[in-house]
Amino acid sequence: TQLLEQSPQFLSIQEGENLTVYCNSSSVFSSLQWYRQEPGEGPVLLVTVVTGGEVKKLKRLTFQFGDARKDSSLHITAAQPGDTGLYLCAGADAGTEKDNRKLIWGLGTSLAVNP
Amino acid sequence: DTEVTQTPKHLVMGMTNKKSLKCEQHMGHRAMYWYKQKAKKPPELMFVYSYEKLSINESVPSRFSPECPNSSLLNLHLHALQPEDSALYLCASSQDQFGTGVTSYEQYFGPGTRLTVT
């Protein structure tokens, strides 16, 4: 069974601090997505990384895909209260049969940024 | 437009009721998904429709019955649910399921239906 290990599970920080969330697997993914979810709402897609070693930036958020496409990180610079939410990584495995392809989800990181 | 809509937003139902959840997308996506999500947990896949045909059923109990009337609509019919079925039910869509293009795994979610079974 494929797993995406996401860490940390919970994070409570002060406004202005930096943080990094990690997603790790022993499996290779064809692509990996990061989502942010607020309470009572659906996940919102932040970014998709596809190429090993790829770095993408979205304002204060920096996403990196590992060279071997087995891991990814999300770094937030100068966190703000509006960054509070559940961050989820999800990997797409191209190695399984087409009819059974689905996203493999990390368990999520619950981030609280305190003013 | 990357909008997926879901109705109703909230639903309270008894264990003997029959109700339906509805989902709609107008992005031309050919894959649609139902997920169940408990608080602070990742979404759990229930069903996948690809080109209006059921392609994945994750061993979901028969009290949940999906339906895809056309490429834009997805329903989830509920009957004789249990209190443990209370959760946020999410609908999502993507270009297609089979990953023929790198963006096709990108799933766009609706706001969800908060279901409470009493």
Side-chain angles (χ1 to χ4, degrees):
Chain A
T1 304
Q2 272 195 309
L3 289 175
L4 251 181
E5 295 180 0
Q6 190 171 343
S7 62
Q9 251 188 295
F10 301 96
L11 196 52
S12 180
I13 61 173
Q14 293 301 120
E15 183 175 358
E17 292 184 13
N18 301 333
L19 67 116
T20 303
V21 178
Y22 299 93
C23 268
N24 297 295
S25 176
S26 57
S27 302
V28 177
F29 293 102
S30 60
S31 66
L32 193 139
Q33 299 159 34
W34 285 92
Y35 292 84
R36 184 168 80 95
Q37 185 177 22
E38 299 192 20
E41 297 293 329
V44 174
L45 180 65
L46 296 174
V47 80
T48 300
V49 286
V50 178
T51 306
E54 183 176 9
V55 177
K56 282 192 174 178
K57 292 194 174 186
L58 187 66
K59 296 183 182 178
R60 294 173 294 98
L61 279 60
T62 302
F63 304 86
Q64 189 160 9
F65 203 15
D67 291 342
R69 292 184 288 133
K70 294 182 178 181
D71 55 86
S72 181
S73 63
L74 156 61
H75 182 79
I76 301 179
T77 304
Q80 299 177 1
D83 295 326
T84 293
L86 180 67
Y87 288 81
L88 294 156
C89 60
D93 172 31
T96 53
E97 294 179 15
K98 281 187 175 181
D99 287 349
N100 293 318
R101 284 186 190 167
K102 53 191 178 185
L103 289 179
I104 309 300
W105 292 82
L107 291 181
T109 295
S110 184
L111 172 65
V113 182
N114 307 301
Chain B
D1 181 15
T2 56
E3 187 177 358
V4 176
T5 59
Q6 287 186 245
T7 55
K9 180 77 172 167
H10 300 277
L11 179 61
V12 179
M13 59 186 290
M15 289 189 285
T16 58
N17 291 158
K18 284 186 180 180
K19 295 285 183 184
S20 296
L21 309 184
K22 296 186 183 300
C23 173
E24 189 168 7
Q25 58 89 12
H26 292 289
M27 294 177 277
H29 288 172
R30 302 313 298 268
M32 296 186 77
Y33 309 76
W34 280 115
Y35 286 90
K36 172 184 176 181
Q37 187 180 30
K38 294 282 196 178
K40 300 205 172 173
K41 298 292 184 184
E44 296 174 43
L45 184 65
M46 300 174 72
F47 303 103
V48 181
Y49 273 83
S50 181
Y51 293 81
E52 298 154 53
K53 292 186 178 176
L54 184 65
S55 63
I56 293 180
N57 176 341
E58 290 286 277
S59 302
V60 179
S62 60
R63 57 185 184 268
F64 295 91
S65 175
E67 178 195 19
C68 189
N70 60 54
S71 60
S72 300
L73 293 173
L74 187 66
N75 299 322
L76 185 64
H77 303 296
L78 314 173
H79 174 55
L81 295 194
Q82 303 295 310
E84 58 265 29
D85 296 323
S86 298
L88 182 68
Y89 287 84
L90 294 163
C91 172
S93 70
S94 64
Q95 265 186 318
D96 68 67
Q97 184 193 351
F98 300 140
T100 54
V102 294
T103 61
S104 61
Y105 281 119
E106 293 180 338
Q107 294 184 16
Y108 294 89
F109 285 82
T113 294
R114 171 68 60 191
L115 174 66
T116 304
V117 182
T118 60

